[in-house]
Amino acid sequence: MSAADEILDVVDEHDQVVAQLPRGRVYAENLRHRCVFVRARDAEGRLFVHRRTTVKLVFPSLYDMFVGGVVGAGETYDDAALREAEEELGVSGLPRPEFLFKFLYDGGARGSWWSAVYEVRCDLPVNPQVEEIAWHAFLTEQEVEARLGDWEWVPDGLAAYERLRALRAAD
């Protein structure tokens, strides 16, 4: 089965399931669906940052500070967060990612999606999927901040990062 054939839950503005359709159709028609964003830190607290491959359906070749992806039909956000983190990092046996918050991302012409944001500590050596990730490194928070204006970041990940930064500043 290709990625375009994967079945996703289509949801409304309240995150209630209204249909189940193939990913290709969901993307083509800009239908609201669910995604997870997992911020992975290594044992030293550095963030996993990567550049997406040129063949990605959404935001090819852009940088991201989260691993993650779409939530499959009938899958929980929590289960998708663990599955996506292990798949993209190329590891197994991660602890369950910690849920931080959820928001409705508005991608304009690309549509909108409910986005659940998580964090996980990854003490394992990573072996990222070459189909998904063209380059990767663990960077300090300061190194990420220094690159925010220099690198082209995925807009939904940047929106999640800005919300996370605002939440932490409010605490």
Side-chain angles (χ1 to χ4, degrees):
M1 176 171 69
S2 75
D5 295 327
E6 179 184 8
I7 303 298
L8 304 182
D9 287 332
V10 176
V11 296
D12 65 16
E13 65 276 7
H14 304 290
D15 198 17
Q16 300 301 308
V17 177
V18 296
Q20 292 184 328
L21 297 168
R23 182 198 297 221
R25 183 169 168 199
V26 170
Y27 283 10
E29 297 178 23
N30 294 324
L31 301 174
R32 190 174 293 123
H33 56 286
R34 294 172 170 160
C35 291
V36 291
F37 297 79
V38 183
R39 186 168 149 132
R41 292 184 177 276
D42 67 6
E44 297 174 37
R46 298 174 301 176
L47 301 173
F48 181 83
V49 176
H50 65 280
R51 187 170 50 80
R52 297 163 65 90
T53 60
T54 59
V55 297
K56 292 291 286 179
L57 288 174
V58 178
F59 309 130
S61 300
L62 300 187
Y63 288 90
D64 201 348
M65 59 193 83
F66 296 92
V67 294
V70 295
V71 178
E75 186 176 31
T76 67
Y77 283 108
D78 289 351
D79 289 344
L82 180 59
R83 175 183 54 75
E84 287 285 348
E86 289 188 335
E87 283 177 7
E88 287 196 26
L89 295 170
V91 301
S92 61
L94 278 180
R96 186 161 287 277
E98 174 190 355
F99 174 78
L100 302 176
F101 62 93
K102 185 171 79 167
F103 71 102
L104 180 59
Y105 173 75
D106 182 358
R110 286 191 171 271
S112 66
W113 43 92
W114 278 101
S115 307
V117 180
Y118 292 79
E119 189 165 72
V120 71
R121 182 169 161 163
C122 179
D123 294 338
L124 305 164
V126 297
N127 185 24
Q129 290 180 311
V130 295
E131 303 83 20
E132 304 264 340
I133 295 174
W135 169 90
H136 72 279
F138 281 96
L139 303 177
T140 65
E141 201 76 57
Q142 294 77 17
E143 289 171 321
V144 171
E145 287 281 334
R147 288 166 174 81
L148 287 178
D150 297 334
W151 292 355
E152 190 174 2
W153 298 88
V154 296
D156 56 353
L158 192 55
Y161 181 75
E162 289 167 353
R163 281 178 165 78
L164 179 58
R165 190 167 48 179
L167 284 172
R168 294 216 164 130
D171 285 343

